[in-house]
Amino acid sequence: MMKKEALLLIPNVLKVFLENGQIKSFTFDGRTTVKDVMVTLQDRLSLRYIEHFALVLEYAGPEQNHKFLLLQDKQPLAYVVQRTHYQGMKCLFRISFFPKDPVELLRRDPAAFEYLYIQASQRK
């Protein structure tokens, strides 16, 4: 199982793990939503389009299989953290909806294509 502190170490701060190994931290209050984090990540990572991306919670199942839960855009972060804090989950920013045409993604948004490439090449 992942460490219990993986999702939340400091009150009202969410750590989001990126595919390149970086960790981005976000302070939040009762009004902050998953969408707010997505938009901030879009800006920080210079992504033009985020329709293929999602915040997901990763946890190890009983047989050490990793499972992913997609977070809804309108979910408040406080609710997400409250529900998952003690279950050892980790919050990831991932391409969760594979593009129909990866070449088109490369043309429209090279940074998103690079993120997809890193994500695909690191999974075993």
Side-chain angles (χ1 to χ4, degrees), residues 61-123:
E63 299 173 7
Q64 295 302 326
N65 294 331
H66 288 268
K67 299 185 186 265
F68 298 96
L69 301 172
L70 288 175
L71 298 178
Q72 303 293 320
D73 284 346
K74 295 180 182 178
Q75 279 184 307
L77 284 186
Y79 176 75
V80 171
V81 170
Q82 179 183 15
R83 280 189 44 218
T84 60
H85 173 65
Y86 297 105
Q87 297 176 17
M89 293 185 177
K90 189 174 176 182
C91 187
L92 307 171
F93 182 65
R94 298 183 49 105
I95 289 190
S96 299
F97 308 101
F98 199 83
K100 289 181 182 178
D101 185 358
V103 174
E104 178 65 17
L105 178 63
L106 174 61
R107 188 185 64 71
R108 288 177 50 212
D109 191 349
F113 182 83
E114 181 181 2
Y115 201 91
L116 170 64
Y117 179 81
I118 291 169
Q119 181 176 315
S121 65
Q122 290 181 352
R123 295 297 166 190

Side-chain angles (χ1 to χ4, degrees), residues 38-50:
M38 296 280 296
V39 170
T40 302
L41 283 168
Q42 179 180 15
D43 183 54
R44 287 185 186 177
L45 299 173
S46 302
L47 301 170
R48 291 186 194 146
Y49 304 98
I50 58 170

Side-chain angles (χ1 to χ4, degrees), residues 13-50:
V13 174
L14 175 72
K15 293 188 332 182
V16 177
F17 295 81
L18 306 180
E19 292 297 327
N20 63 6
Q22 293 181 348
I23 301 170
K24 301 291 184 186
S25 296
F26 296 89
T27 57
F28 63 90
D29 59 27
R31 298 181 318 261
T32 309
T33 65
V34 168
K35 182 68 172 180
D36 296 329
V37 173
M38 296 280 296
V39 170
T40 302
L41 283 168
Q42 179 180 15
D43 183 54
R44 287 185 186 177
L45 299 173
S46 302
L47 301 170
R48 291 186 194 146
Y49 304 98
I50 58 170

